[in-house]
């Protein structure tokens, strides 16, 4: 699998390309965040960034970085909508002289590939997750995400899946890990006032040792595993802070609360809801936990926490195997194993100050070298430039 160089995008590169990214909507999430980050990098490198979607709360942020938004029902999945969107995209490509189109989700990818073929420009996809393939039609629907001239995989775990499950030629798959915004996730950028405000809002007792699990309230995030591990730990002063929205499943949260009561942990578990200041939240953690029972495509929490110098405990599968360095930046534990998680928690909470500082330095260095937003966007722009050069050379030859 190809892995482009790590040159940094800036205006002096003379990038000069017009890039069209297509996704369903511009709400919050990893797909949307990656779209905005790449659009900003295109503009910073001297290019023009256009995004087509059904819109959403991140439109304003997109415009702030100098990109343009074109509204269309890219979130619609019916054959009629997909065909009409293909026509809209082809017209947009011709009118705006787009050099490359990049699709980030399945429904818009079907439209975008058709438009790219009609207009003769390169087509790129990003495989953001491991889609279910429970029946043949589902796999056929997913396969569009492997149909790009290059398919970007956000982790080695995803890249292996794309090659094995869909028999995609390895030379067409490019590994580009998701990137952490080091301007936000930097200890030096977080004021003490922000940290104190969260501690007070969450009623954290002085001297508490905090094990933090950020993630929406769904079963696959492993909240129950952490609760059971905390009960096994039996460590006075240890508090679990569960950050996240209900994700439309209030019954699951109620189930977790009952589990807390059965374990006798009423004073040791905080359900704090959504948090708008995750950098400050990580500063309150003595250890950050990602207890997902199913493999994460990348594992944003583990990467962000390391960028903030926090030790992490993640489940030993998926993208976490690429971001966490066992024994150096954290621990990996078997899926669903509360006892192993309790042992890792005990190790994390028992570290000496010097051990904690050493792990923090290694964690920050790991993320800055390998998983920054700058590395991600530079490698993506390299893919764009390479494909346009290939297309030009083919046309000239």
């Amino acid at each position: 699998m190809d892995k482009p160089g790590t040159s940094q995008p800036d205006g002096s590169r003379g990038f000069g390309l017009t890039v069209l990214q297509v996704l369903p909507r511009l709400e919050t999430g990893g797909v949307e965040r990656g779209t905005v980050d790449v659009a900003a990098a295109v503009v910073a490198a001297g290019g023009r960034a256009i995004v087509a979607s059904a819109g959403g709360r991140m439109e304003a942020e997109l415009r702030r970085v100098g990109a343009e938004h074109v509204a269309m029902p890219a979130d619609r999945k019916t054959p009629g909508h997909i065909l009409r969107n293909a026509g809209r995209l082809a017209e947009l490509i011709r009118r705006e002289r787009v050099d490359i189109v990049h699709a980030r989700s399945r429904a818009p990818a079907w439209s975008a590939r058709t438009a790219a073929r009609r207009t003769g420009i390169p087509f790129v996809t990003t495989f953001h997750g491991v889609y279910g393939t429970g029946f043949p039609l589902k796999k056929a629907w997913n396969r569009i995400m492997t149909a790009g001239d290059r398919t970007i995989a956000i982790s080695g775990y995803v890249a292996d899946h794309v090659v094995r499950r869909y028999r995609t030629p390895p030379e067409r798959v490019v590994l580009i890990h998701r990137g952490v915004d080091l301007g936000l996730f930097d200890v030096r950028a977080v004021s003490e006032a922000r940290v104190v405000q969260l501690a007070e809002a969450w009623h954290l007792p002085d001297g508490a040792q905090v094990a933090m699990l950020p993630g929406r309230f769904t079963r696959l995030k492993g909240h129950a595993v952490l609760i059971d591990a905390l009960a096994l730990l039996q460590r006075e002063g240890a508090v679990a802070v569960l950050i996240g929205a209900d994700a439309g499943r209030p019954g699951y949260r109620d189930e977790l609360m009952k589990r807390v009561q059965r374990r006798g942990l009423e004073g040791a578990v905080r359900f704090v809801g959504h948090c708008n200041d995750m950098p400050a939240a990580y500063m309150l953690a003595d250890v950050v936990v990602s207890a997902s029972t199913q493999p994460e495509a990348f594992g944003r929490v583990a990467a962000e926490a390391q960028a903030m110098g926090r030790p992490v405990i993640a489940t030993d599968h998926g993208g976490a195997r690429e971001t966490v360095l066992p024994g150096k930046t954290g621990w990996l534990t078997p899926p669903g194993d509360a006892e192993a998680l309790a042992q890792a928690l005990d190790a994390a909470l028992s570290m000496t100050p010097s051990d904690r500082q050493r792990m923090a330095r290694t964690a920050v260095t790991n993320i800055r070298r390998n998983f920054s937003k700058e590395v991600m966007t530079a490698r993506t722009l390299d893919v764009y430039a390479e494909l346009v050069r290939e297309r030009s050379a083919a046309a000239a030859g």
Side-chain angles (χ1 to χ4, degrees):
M1 285 168 284
D2 182 29
K3 187 172 182 178
T6 58
S7 54
Q8 301 297 310
D10 59 63
S12 66
R13 287 178 62 184
F15 182 69
L17 300 179
T18 297
V19 176
L20 170 62
Q21 297 181 83
V22 191
L23 71 161
R25 300 188 63 83
L26 272 171
E27 300 297 343
T28 58
V31 174
E32 293 86 345
R33 171 52 51 202
T35 300
V36 173
D37 288 345
V38 168
V42 168
V43 173
R48 183 183 177 200
I50 304 173
V51 174
S53 81
R57 67 186 73 182
M58 291 182 73
E59 278 187 62
E61 185 174 353
L62 185 73
R63 293 191 175 96
R64 278 198 297 272
V65 303
E68 304 162 49
H69 182 256
V70 176
M72 68 173 58
D75 56 340
R76 305 300 294 271
K77 299 179 181 180
T78 68
H81 278 101
I82 288 172
L83 187 60
R84 286 191 290 274
N85 284 338
R88 294 184 181 103
L89 290 171
E91 181 183 354
L92 176 65
I93 288 167
R94 295 188 184 101
R95 183 178 69 246
E96 304 300 335
R97 297 183 178 181
V98 171
D99 295 294
I100 195 158
V101 61
H102 183 172
R104 293 180 173 272
S105 187
R106 289 166 291 181
W110 284 99
S111 301
R113 184 183 66 163
T114 299
R117 284 180 170 177
R118 289 179 185 175
T119 55
I121 68 169
F123 174 54
V124 176
T125 61
T126 292
F127 216 104
H128 282 277
V130 177
Y131 306 111
T133 55
F135 54 94
L137 286 179
K138 184 75 168 181
K139 185 177 179 182
W141 171 253
N142 299 343
R143 192 179 293 277
I144 188 63
M145 299 308 295
T146 71
D149 297 299
R150 295 290 189 278
T151 294
I152 295 172
I154 67 168
S155 67
Y157 165 68
V158 171
D160 290 343
H161 173 80
V162 169
V163 171
R164 289 187 294 101
R165 192 72 180 90
Y166 296 94
R167 301 185 183 278
T168 308
E171 62 272 17
R172 288 213 332 257
V173 180
V174 184
L175 170 60
I176 303 179
H177 289 101
R178 282 184 62 177
V180 176
D181 186 340
L182 298 177
L184 291 176
F185 294 95
D186 184 340
V187 171
R188 298 165 296 184
V190 180
S191 68
E192 183 179 352
R194 287 164 58 187
V195 179
V196 170
Q197 183 179 23
L198 280 181
E200 291 177 347
W202 295 345
H203 305 291
L204 293 178
D206 291 340
Q209 289 189 298
V210 175
M212 182 176 291
L213 194 161
R216 67 189 186 280
F217 277 84
T218 62
R219 293 184 189 279
L220 63 87
K221 292 296 182 181
H223 301 89
V225 184
L226 176 57
I227 292 169
D228 290 349
L230 192 64
L232 291 170
L233 183 63
Q234 295 184 341
R235 189 184 187 95
E236 187 175 354
V239 175
V241 175
L242 309 182
I243 302 175
D246 289 338
R249 300 175 180 85
Y252 174 60
R253 180 180 175 132
D254 293 341
E255 179 184 320
L256 290 174
M257 288 181 171
K258 291 177 182 177
R259 194 182 199 98
V260 168
Q261 293 170 355
R262 289 197 304 270
R263 301 290 187 268
L265 297 172
E266 290 92 335
V269 179
R270 301 282 193 279
F271 293 80
V272 300
H274 177 71
C275 177
N276 288 319
D277 191 354
M278 283 307 301
Y282 287 128
M283 292 289 289
L284 287 169
D286 292 281
V287 61
V288 176
V289 178
S290 175
S292 299
T293 55
Q294 297 179 20
E296 298 265 13
F298 174 70
R300 173 178 54 85
V301 165
E304 290 176 351
Q306 287 179 82
M308 297 298 295
R310 268 41 197 170
V312 296
I313 303 172
T315 311
D316 189 10
H317 55 194
R321 290 176 172 173
E322 299 162 54
T323 60
V324 179
L325 306 177
K328 296 180 180 179
T329 68
W331 296 261
L332 294 174
T333 60
D337 191 333
E339 184 173 350
L341 179 53
Q343 292 172 358
L345 285 171
D346 186 54
L349 298 177
S350 299
M351 282 195 296
T352 65
S354 60
D355 288 341
R356 183 172 290 275
Q357 290 171 6
R358 188 182 309 110
M359 185 169 281
R361 288 194 297 268
T362 304
V364 171
T365 300
N366 176 39
I367 300 304
R368 288 186 173 273
R369 284 182 178 173
N370 303 302
F371 304 103
S372 73
K373 179 179 71 173
E374 288 74 20
V375 170
M376 176 193 74
T377 55
R379 290 176 176 172
T380 303
L381 266 60
D382 285 345
V383 170
Y384 295 161
E386 179 183 27
L387 284 173
V388 170
R389 286 195 299 270
E390 289 180 0
R391 187 61 56 97
S392 298

